[in-house]
Amino acid sequence: MSLITAEKISKEFTRKGKSKKRFEVLKETSFEINKGTVTEIIGRSGGGKSTFVSILSGLLQPDTGKVYYEGKDLYELSDDERSKLRNKKFGIIPQDHMVFKNLSVIENLLLVKEMYGTEDKEEENERLAEELLNKVGLKDYASYKAGELSGGELRRLAIARALINDPEVIFADEPSGDLDEENTKNVLSIFRELTEQGKAVILVTHDREAIQYADYIYRMDLGNLKEEKL
Amino acid sequence: MRFRFNLALKNIKARAGRSSLLIIICAILAASVFGGSVFIRSIQNGLHSYEKRLGADIIVIPEEVKEEGSFDGILLQGIPDTFYMDRSVLEKVKETEGVEIASYQFFLASANAGCCDSPVQIIGFDPETDFSIQPWIREAYEGEITDGDLIVGSNIVIPPNRQLRFYNVTLNVAAKLEKTGTGLDNAVFGNIETIKSLIRSADSLGFEDFKDVDPDSVISAVMVRNEKGYDVYKTAGNINIPIEGVNAVTSQKMIYGIAQGLKNVSGIIGIITGLVWVLSIIILIALFSLIAGERVRELAILRITGASKKIITGALLWEAFLIALIGSVSGIAAISIVYFPFADTIKRSLELPVLQPGAGFMILTGFITIILSIIICGVTWSLCVLRIAARDTGLLSKEGV
């Protein structure tokens, strides 16, 4: 049974400015993600990859079509249920450096961990956060303000944050964007390790290095998703 | 709930500059409401107390005293003064049409010299006929006021031996009166015999004001209670026209002047408070709108990491609540620190009776001010930020990046 299934999803946006012209970002796209796989989505910039990932992760409602997670229609769930699911089951690594720069590195992780009532397990949460920071090479920066980190370090922080709740699915939008070769390899290895634990990883990337870690590759072109042979 | 509160607290701490600015504006809002309310209430209380303490419908005093304004100075600001008129005025007033009761009083100032403990206004009354001072004294002292006894105003400091010395005469302090907010708080009261002994002693000590003054043939003022149903202004006219050298002033006229002053001051304070509120609300809205862009990013991060709209709304409302609470409490504390130590100076400069309201009024006003600040802050905050929180997460995250 697939972990996430998207059925004929489409999405339109209205262009900003005077024209207010509508444009179709996704055209009746269907898709499946299975447990224990790395799926890559490649394609031109502005081709709808990020929008697609936002819809799959419950962040953006499609105009038509359905998205199922373990058989449950994501957009039939209430905002509370969908948000909690996103917190517990999904790990999202956004394209840009979306972290709280005024909080410390470890606080950024604990905030996500404690969102649905685990503040009482403070020590355990901290230990887990430190372990993850160690894994992404940020152990020594735990008490630093996130704003003090470089672009690559912020990217690794976002990766650690996405993994803090031991999610079933990881959505990573250009995760290697700011990373050097060594850190890219490290992060992709982490993703590979996660699939060995039965987790699913969806990577939106332009990185050729990432291809060797993928089980499936899809190309997004003008709102159409096509599988490519490895 | 705990997470929302902690998140709000973290946000306030993490954005110390932004939070401080908002707290300062809330503090200004609260300070203007609390300070304005307490001050207006103080002068309302002062007027009420002044009206109550006058106790007479008409006050007859020497003409020159009214012209110089020294009687108002005694009653409003507690500036001691001595004045006399012939005792025959009392009999003439008693016989005037419209007068129900007339009782005389002495007003003499203690000297700023070694013979006197402090410069105060000494007021003597006739226990047999007095109707204006004794009812007030009875609120603080039930016993008989015998010769040599003094009842002191609330601002007078009573020495440990409970004795005060004026013109080398030692007098016993029987009781202290409640605060009135008027000049009478700086006065001491005794019966006529006590005052006469002071006048005689002052004369023997060579004080010019009392030279050759026979205390049995002079008085300072006549307090008049008007006959029921008789026009009080007509009674005042009945006194002023035939009796030479005196001025009969109705208490209504005296209060009218104060009430006008009060109305003007209250109006100015009201306008200033209103302006501060309008300006503060405009600044709050402008600030909230300015930081709304910044909040889009924060809210997008929270949504991406799984915060529901309820969690975000809750955290934002906690943030607004905490900012308003800290701001309003600080504002009330700051205005109290500035206002209360200078209340007497303000009172003197305004020449109005000022009587601070009791603790109950202060606590209630403080509480209402805090609630009002929380509502204003919450509403303006909601207008600017909560509508962002309610937007589609995907669009939010797209704008946030």
PDB file of all heavy atoms in Angstrom, chain A residues 47-75:
ATOM      1  N   GLY A  47       8.249  25.501 -12.535  1.00  0.00           N
ATOM      2  CA  GLY A  47       7.462  24.465 -13.205  1.00  0.00           C
ATOM      3  C   GLY A  47       6.379  23.850 -12.338  1.00  0.00           C
ATOM      4  O   GLY A  47       5.635  22.991 -12.789  1.00  0.00           O
ATOM      5  N   GLY A  48       6.318  24.240 -11.070  1.00  0.00           N
ATOM      6  CA  GLY A  48       5.246  23.748 -10.197  1.00  0.00           C
ATOM      7  C   GLY A  48       5.690  22.695  -9.194  1.00  0.00           C
ATOM      8  O   GLY A  48       4.862  22.107  -8.504  1.00  0.00           O
ATOM      9  N   LYS A  49       7.023  22.442  -9.121  1.00  0.00           N
ATOM     10  CA  LYS A  49       7.521  21.391  -8.223  1.00  0.00           C
ATOM     11  C   LYS A  49       7.188  21.708  -6.739  1.00  0.00           C
ATOM     12  O   LYS A  49       6.673  20.861  -6.023  1.00  0.00           O
ATOM     13  CB  LYS A  49       9.049  21.254  -8.361  1.00  0.00           C
ATOM     14  CG  LYS A  49       9.534  20.923  -9.750  1.00  0.00           C
ATOM     15  CD  LYS A  49      11.009  20.634  -9.770  1.00  0.00           C
ATOM     16  CE  LYS A  49      11.893  21.825  -9.395  1.00  0.00           C
ATOM     17  NZ  LYS A  49      11.825  22.951 -10.322  1.00  0.00           N
ATOM     18  N   SER A  50       7.502  22.954  -6.338  1.00  0.00           N
ATOM     19  CA  SER A  50       7.273  23.334  -4.934  1.00  0.00           C
ATOM     20  C   SER A  50       5.788  23.333  -4.601  1.00  0.00           C
ATOM     21  O   SER A  50       5.386  22.923  -3.510  1.00  0.00           O
ATOM     22  CB  SER A  50       7.873  24.706  -4.654  1.00  0.00           C
ATOM     23  OG  SER A  50       9.257  24.657  -4.843  1.00  0.00           O
ATOM     24  N   THR A  51       4.970  23.797  -5.557  1.00  0.00           N
ATOM     25  CA  THR A  51       3.523  23.808  -5.334  1.00  0.00           C
ATOM     26  C   THR A  51       3.034  22.375  -5.143  1.00  0.00           C
ATOM     27  O   THR A  51       2.224  22.089  -4.251  1.00  0.00           O
ATOM     28  CB  THR A  51       2.817  24.452  -6.555  1.00  0.00           C
ATOM     29  OG1 THR A  51       3.314  25.778  -6.687  1.00  0.00           O
ATOM     30  CG2 THR A  51       1.314  24.474  -6.389  1.00  0.00           C
ATOM     31  N   PHE A  52       3.569  21.476  -5.967  1.00  0.00           N
ATOM     32  CA  PHE A  52       3.183  20.074  -5.886  1.00  0.00           C
ATOM     33  C   PHE A  52       3.515  19.500  -4.506  1.00  0.00           C
ATOM     34  O   PHE A  52       2.679  18.836  -3.867  1.00  0.00           O
ATOM     35  CB  PHE A  52       3.910  19.309  -7.004  1.00  0.00           C
ATOM     36  CG  PHE A  52       3.536  17.867  -7.091  1.00  0.00           C
ATOM     37  CD1 PHE A  52       2.207  17.473  -7.245  1.00  0.00           C
ATOM     38  CD2 PHE A  52       4.508  16.871  -7.026  1.00  0.00           C
ATOM     39  CE1 PHE A  52       1.862  16.131  -7.320  1.00  0.00           C
ATOM     40  CE2 PHE A  52       4.162  15.532  -7.111  1.00  0.00           C
ATOM     41  CZ  PHE A  52       2.845  15.163  -7.253  1.00  0.00           C
ATOM     42  N   VAL A  53       4.742  19.792  -4.043  1.00  0.00           N
ATOM     43  CA  VAL A  53       5.165  19.293  -2.725  1.00  0.00           C
ATOM     44  C   VAL A  53       4.317  19.919  -1.610  1.00  0.00           C
ATOM     45  O   VAL A  53       3.936  19.242  -0.650  1.00  0.00           O
ATOM     46  CB  VAL A  53       6.682  19.554  -2.515  1.00  0.00           C
ATOM     47  CG1 VAL A  53       7.080  19.328  -1.070  1.00  0.00           C
ATOM     48  CG2 VAL A  53       7.490  18.653  -3.426  1.00  0.00           C
ATOM     49  N   SER A  54       3.972  21.200  -1.770  1.00  0.00           N
ATOM     50  CA  SER A  54       3.115  21.861  -0.767  1.00  0.00           C
ATOM     51  C   SER A  54       1.757  21.161  -0.684  1.00  0.00           C
ATOM     52  O   SER A  54       1.213  20.970   0.402  1.00  0.00           O
ATOM     53  CB  SER A  54       2.893  23.332  -1.126  1.00  0.00           C
ATOM     54  OG  SER A  54       4.076  24.050  -0.942  1.00  0.00           O
ATOM     55  N   ILE A  55       1.224  20.781  -1.838  1.00  0.00           N
ATOM     56  CA  ILE A  55      -0.084  20.102  -1.847  1.00  0.00           C
ATOM     57  C   ILE A  55       0.045  18.719  -1.206  1.00  0.00           C
ATOM     58  O   ILE A  55      -0.773  18.330  -0.375  1.00  0.00           O
ATOM     59  CB  ILE A  55      -0.620  20.011  -3.305  1.00  0.00           C
ATOM     60  CG1 ILE A  55      -1.029  21.420  -3.771  1.00  0.00           C
ATOM     61  CG2 ILE A  55      -1.809  19.052  -3.387  1.00  0.00           C
ATOM     62  CD1 ILE A  55      -1.391  21.513  -5.250  1.00  0.00           C
ATOM     63  N   LEU A  56       1.116  17.985  -1.562  1.00  0.00           N
ATOM     64  CA  LEU A  56       1.302  16.639  -1.000  1.00  0.00           C
ATOM     65  C   LEU A  56       1.481  16.671   0.523  1.00  0.00           C
ATOM     66  O   LEU A  56       1.070  15.754   1.222  1.00  0.00           O
ATOM     67  CB  LEU A  56       2.544  15.974  -1.613  1.00  0.00           C
ATOM     68  CG  LEU A  56       2.495  15.601  -3.090  1.00  0.00           C
ATOM     69  CD1 LEU A  56       3.797  14.929  -3.496  1.00  0.00           C
ATOM     70  CD2 LEU A  56       1.321  14.667  -3.385  1.00  0.00           C
ATOM     71  N   SER A  57       2.091  17.733   1.012  1.00  0.00           N
ATOM     72  CA  SER A  57       2.388  17.796   2.458  1.00  0.00           C
ATOM     73  C   SER A  57       1.266  18.459   3.249  1.00  0.00           C
ATOM     74  O   SER A  57       1.428  18.746   4.441  1.00  0.00           O
ATOM     75  CB  SER A  57       3.711  18.535   2.686  1.00  0.00           C
ATOM     76  OG  SER A  57       3.632  19.831   2.141  1.00  0.00           O
ATOM     77  N   GLY A  58       0.155  18.738   2.606  1.00  0.00           N
ATOM     78  CA  GLY A  58      -1.002  19.283   3.338  1.00  0.00           C
ATOM     79  C   GLY A  58      -0.906  20.768   3.600  1.00  0.00           C
ATOM     80  O   GLY A  58      -1.631  21.297   4.448  1.00  0.00           O
ATOM     81  N   LEU A  59      -0.015  21.431   2.897  1.00  0.00           N
ATOM     82  CA  LEU A  59       0.145  22.871   3.122  1.00  0.00           C
ATOM     83  C   LEU A  59      -0.741  23.709   2.194  1.00  0.00           C
ATOM     84  O   LEU A  59      -1.075  24.854   2.520  1.00  0.00           O
ATOM     85  CB  LEU A  59       1.606  23.285   2.881  1.00  0.00           C
ATOM     86  CG  LEU A  59       2.604  22.987   4.000  1.00  0.00           C
ATOM     87  CD1 LEU A  59       4.024  23.178   3.491  1.00  0.00           C
ATOM     88  CD2 LEU A  59       2.363  23.865   5.201  1.00  0.00           C
ATOM     89  N   LEU A  60      -1.092  23.163   1.059  1.00  0.00           N
ATOM     90  CA  LEU A  60      -1.831  23.951   0.069  1.00  0.00           C
ATOM     91  C   LEU A  60      -2.923  23.086  -0.566  1.00  0.00           C
ATOM     92  O   LEU A  60      -2.627  22.030  -1.156  1.00  0.00           O
ATOM     93  CB  LEU A  60      -0.843  24.437  -1.005  1.00  0.00           C
ATOM     94  CG  LEU A  60      -1.382  25.333  -2.106  1.00  0.00           C
ATOM     95  CD1 LEU A  60      -1.854  26.669  -1.545  1.00  0.00           C
ATOM     96  CD2 LEU A  60      -0.287  25.588  -3.151  1.00  0.00           C
ATOM     97  N   GLN A  61      -4.141  23.530  -0.433  1.00  0.00           N
ATOM     98  CA  GLN A  61      -5.272  22.743  -0.933  1.00  0.00           C
ATOM     99  C   GLN A  61      -5.323  22.807  -2.468  1.00  0.00           C
ATOM    100  O   GLN A  61      -5.253  23.896  -3.044  1.00  0.00           O
ATOM    101  CB  GLN A  61      -6.573  23.307  -0.358  1.00  0.00           C
ATOM    102  CG  GLN A  61      -7.792  22.545  -0.805  1.00  0.00           C
ATOM    103  CD  GLN A  61      -8.848  22.435   0.275  1.00  0.00           C
ATOM    104  OE1 GLN A  61      -8.868  23.213   1.217  1.00  0.00           O
ATOM    105  NE2 GLN A  61      -9.724  21.462   0.156  1.00  0.00           N
ATOM    106  N   PRO A  62      -5.459  21.650  -3.115  1.00  0.00           N
ATOM    107  CA  PRO A  62      -5.565  21.687  -4.585  1.00  0.00           C
ATOM    108  C   PRO A  62      -6.948  22.191  -5.008  1.00  0.00           C
ATOM    109  O   PRO A  62      -7.894  22.121  -4.225  1.00  0.00           O
ATOM    110  CB  PRO A  62      -5.375  20.221  -4.983  1.00  0.00           C
ATOM    111  CG  PRO A  62      -5.811  19.437  -3.786  1.00  0.00           C
ATOM    112  CD  PRO A  62      -5.525  20.279  -2.581  1.00  0.00           C
ATOM    113  N   ASP A  63      -7.033  22.685  -6.249  1.00  0.00           N
ATOM    114  CA  ASP A  63      -8.349  23.127  -6.740  1.00  0.00           C
ATOM    115  C   ASP A  63      -9.238  21.913  -6.992  1.00  0.00           C
ATOM    116  O   ASP A  63     -10.425  21.929  -6.686  1.00  0.00           O
ATOM    117  CB  ASP A  63      -8.186  23.934  -8.036  1.00  0.00           C
ATOM    118  CG  ASP A  63      -7.423  25.225  -7.795  1.00  0.00           C
ATOM    119  OD1 ASP A  63      -7.446  25.704  -6.632  1.00  0.00           O
ATOM    120  OD2 ASP A  63      -6.782  25.737  -8.732  1.00  0.00           O
ATOM    121  N   THR A  64      -8.639  20.885  -7.562  1.00  0.00           N
ATOM    122  CA  THR A  64      -9.387  19.632  -7.761  1.00  0.00           C
ATOM    123  C   THR A  64      -8.466  18.482  -7.399  1.00  0.00           C
ATOM    124  O   THR A  64      -7.245  18.640  -7.309  1.00  0.00           O
ATOM    125  CB  THR A  64      -9.818  19.454  -9.238  1.00  0.00           C
ATOM    126  OG1 THR A  64      -8.657  19.446 -10.053  1.00  0.00           O
ATOM    127  CG2 THR A  64     -10.757  20.554  -9.699  1.00  0.00           C
ATOM    128  N   GLY A  65      -9.064  17.298  -7.225  1.00  0.00           N
ATOM    129  CA  GLY A  65      -8.268  16.109  -6.934  1.00  0.00           C
ATOM    130  C   GLY A  65      -8.143  15.855  -5.439  1.00  0.00           C
ATOM    131  O   GLY A  65      -8.586  16.649  -4.620  1.00  0.00           O
ATOM    132  N   LYS A  66      -7.550  14.702  -5.121  1.00  0.00           N
ATOM    133  CA  LYS A  66      -7.452  14.273  -3.714  1.00  0.00           C
ATOM    134  C   LYS A  66      -6.008  13.876  -3.396  1.00  0.00           C
ATOM    135  O   LYS A  66      -5.271  13.421  -4.272  1.00  0.00           O
ATOM    136  CB  LYS A  66      -8.315  13.029  -3.478  1.00  0.00           C
ATOM    137  CG  LYS A  66      -9.770  13.174  -3.878  1.00  0.00           C
ATOM    138  CD  LYS A  66     -10.582  13.586  -2.690  1.00  0.00           C
ATOM    139  CE  LYS A  66     -12.075  13.576  -3.024  1.00  0.00           C
ATOM    140  NZ  LYS A  66     -12.832  14.307  -2.039  1.00  0.00           N
ATOM    141  N   VAL A  67      -5.659  14.061  -2.138  1.00  0.00           N
ATOM    142  CA  VAL A  67      -4.354  13.586  -1.654  1.00  0.00           C
ATOM    143  C   VAL A  67      -4.639  12.698  -0.444  1.00  0.00           C
ATOM    144  O   VAL A  67      -5.313  13.124   0.497  1.00  0.00           O
ATOM    145  CB  VAL A  67      -3.430  14.755  -1.237  1.00  0.00           C
ATOM    146  CG1 VAL A  67      -2.096  14.219  -0.718  1.00  0.00           C
ATOM    147  CG2 VAL A  67      -3.206  15.712  -2.386  1.00  0.00           C
ATOM    148  N   TYR A  68      -4.169  11.455  -0.507  1.00  0.00           N
ATOM    149  CA  TYR A  68      -4.410  10.527   0.598  1.00  0.00           C
ATOM    150  C   TYR A  68      -3.101  10.222   1.315  1.00  0.00           C
ATOM    151  O   TYR A  68      -2.073  10.018   0.667  1.00  0.00           O
ATOM    152  CB  TYR A  68      -4.984   9.211   0.066  1.00  0.00           C
ATOM    153  CG  TYR A  68      -6.329   9.370  -0.598  1.00  0.00           C
ATOM    154  CD1 TYR A  68      -6.425   9.486  -1.991  1.00  0.00           C
ATOM    155  CD2 TYR A  68      -7.507   9.387   0.149  1.00  0.00           C
ATOM    156  CE1 TYR A  68      -7.652   9.621  -2.608  1.00  0.00           C
ATOM    157  CE2 TYR A  68      -8.737   9.531  -0.465  1.00  0.00           C
ATOM    158  CZ  TYR A  68      -8.811   9.643  -1.843  1.00  0.00           C
ATOM    159  OH  TYR A  68     -10.014   9.789  -2.452  1.00  0.00           O
ATOM    160  N   TYR A  69      -3.170  10.217   2.636  1.00  0.00           N
ATOM    161  CA  TYR A  69      -2.036   9.730   3.427  1.00  0.00           C
ATOM    162  C   TYR A  69      -2.550   8.506   4.190  1.00  0.00           C
ATOM    163  O   TYR A  69      -3.522   8.630   4.951  1.00  0.00           O
ATOM    164  CB  TYR A  69      -1.526  10.791   4.421  1.00  0.00           C
ATOM    165  CG  TYR A  69      -0.510  10.236   5.375  1.00  0.00           C
ATOM    166  CD1 TYR A  69       0.791   9.967   4.955  1.00  0.00           C
ATOM    167  CD2 TYR A  69      -0.854   9.931   6.693  1.00  0.00           C
ATOM    168  CE1 TYR A  69       1.715   9.413   5.822  1.00  0.00           C
ATOM    169  CE2 TYR A  69       0.075   9.379   7.565  1.00  0.00           C
ATOM    170  CZ  TYR A  69       1.351   9.123   7.129  1.00  0.00           C
ATOM    171  OH  TYR A  69       2.285   8.569   7.985  1.00  0.00           O
ATOM    172  N   GLU A  70      -1.942   7.375   3.939  1.00  0.00           N
ATOM    173  CA  GLU A  70      -2.377   6.097   4.524  1.00  0.00           C
ATOM    174  C   GLU A  70      -3.892   5.929   4.408  1.00  0.00           C
ATOM    175  O   GLU A  70      -4.586   5.599   5.369  1.00  0.00           O
ATOM    176  CB  GLU A  70      -1.928   5.996   5.986  1.00  0.00           C
ATOM    177  CG  GLU A  70      -0.413   5.832   6.098  1.00  0.00           C
ATOM    178  CD  GLU A  70       0.065   5.575   7.528  1.00  0.00           C
ATOM    179  OE1 GLU A  70      -0.590   6.064   8.459  1.00  0.00           O
ATOM    180  OE2 GLU A  70       1.091   4.897   7.682  1.00  0.00           O
ATOM    181  N   GLY A  71      -4.408   6.265   3.266  1.00  0.00           N
ATOM    182  CA  GLY A  71      -5.832   6.077   2.970  1.00  0.00           C
ATOM    183  C   GLY A  71      -6.740   7.207   3.418  1.00  0.00           C
ATOM    184  O   GLY A  71      -7.924   7.241   3.093  1.00  0.00           O
ATOM    185  N   LYS A  72      -6.206   8.171   4.179  1.00  0.00           N
ATOM    186  CA  LYS A  72      -7.047   9.295   4.658  1.00  0.00           C
ATOM    187  C   LYS A  72      -6.895  10.483   3.710  1.00  0.00           C
ATOM    188  O   LYS A  72      -5.767  10.853   3.368  1.00  0.00           O
ATOM    189  CB  LYS A  72      -6.604   9.726   6.063  1.00  0.00           C
ATOM    190  CG  LYS A  72      -7.124   8.839   7.173  1.00  0.00           C
ATOM    191  CD  LYS A  72      -6.643   9.339   8.532  1.00  0.00           C
ATOM    192  CE  LYS A  72      -5.228   8.840   8.791  1.00  0.00           C
ATOM    193  NZ  LYS A  72      -4.704   9.101  10.120  1.00  0.00           N
ATOM    194  N   ASP A  73      -8.037  11.056   3.332  1.00  0.00           N
ATOM    195  CA  ASP A  73      -7.997  12.236   2.464  1.00  0.00           C
ATOM    196  C   ASP A  73      -7.483  13.428   3.288  1.00  0.00           C
ATOM    197  O   ASP A  73      -8.157  13.882   4.227  1.00  0.00           O
ATOM    198  CB  ASP A  73      -9.408  12.516   1.927  1.00  0.00           C
ATOM    199  CG  ASP A  73      -9.413  13.662   0.922  1.00  0.00           C
ATOM    200  OD1 ASP A  73      -8.434  14.435   0.894  1.00  0.00           O
ATOM    201  OD2 ASP A  73     -10.403  13.780   0.176  1.00  0.00           O
ATOM    202  N   LEU A  74      -6.311  13.905   2.937  1.00  0.00           N
ATOM    203  CA  LEU A  74      -5.668  14.987   3.722  1.00  0.00           C
ATOM    204  C   LEU A  74      -6.560  16.210   3.858  1.00  0.00           C
ATOM    205  O   LEU A  74      -6.627  16.830   4.912  1.00  0.00           O
ATOM    206  CB  LEU A  74      -4.375  15.434   3.025  1.00  0.00           C
ATOM    207  CG  LEU A  74      -3.062  14.789   3.414  1.00  0.00           C
ATOM    208  CD1 LEU A  74      -1.909  15.544   2.753  1.00  0.00           C
ATOM    209  CD2 LEU A  74      -2.870  14.794   4.921  1.00  0.00           C
ATOM    210  N   TYR A  75      -7.228  16.559   2.770  1.00  0.00           N
ATOM    211  CA  TYR A  75      -8.005  17.807   2.787  1.00  0.00           C
ATOM    212  C   TYR A  75      -9.442  17.623   3.250  1.00  0.00           C
ATOM    213  O   TYR A  75     -10.219  18.568   3.252  1.00  0.00           O
ATOM    214  CB  TYR A  75      -7.897  18.507   1.413  1.00  0.00           C
ATOM    215  CG  TYR A  75      -6.470  18.959   1.192  1.00  0.00           C
ATOM    216  CD1 TYR A  75      -5.583  18.190   0.460  1.00  0.00           C
ATOM    217  CD2 TYR A  75      -5.995  20.107   1.806  1.00  0.00           C
ATOM    218  CE1 TYR A  75      -4.261  18.571   0.308  1.00  0.00           C
ATOM    219  CE2 TYR A  75      -4.660  20.498   1.675  1.00  0.00           C
ATOM    220  CZ  TYR A  75      -3.798  19.724   0.920  1.00  0.00           C
ATOM    221  OH  TYR A  75      -2.491  20.106   0.807  1.00  0.00           O
TER     222      TYR A  75
END
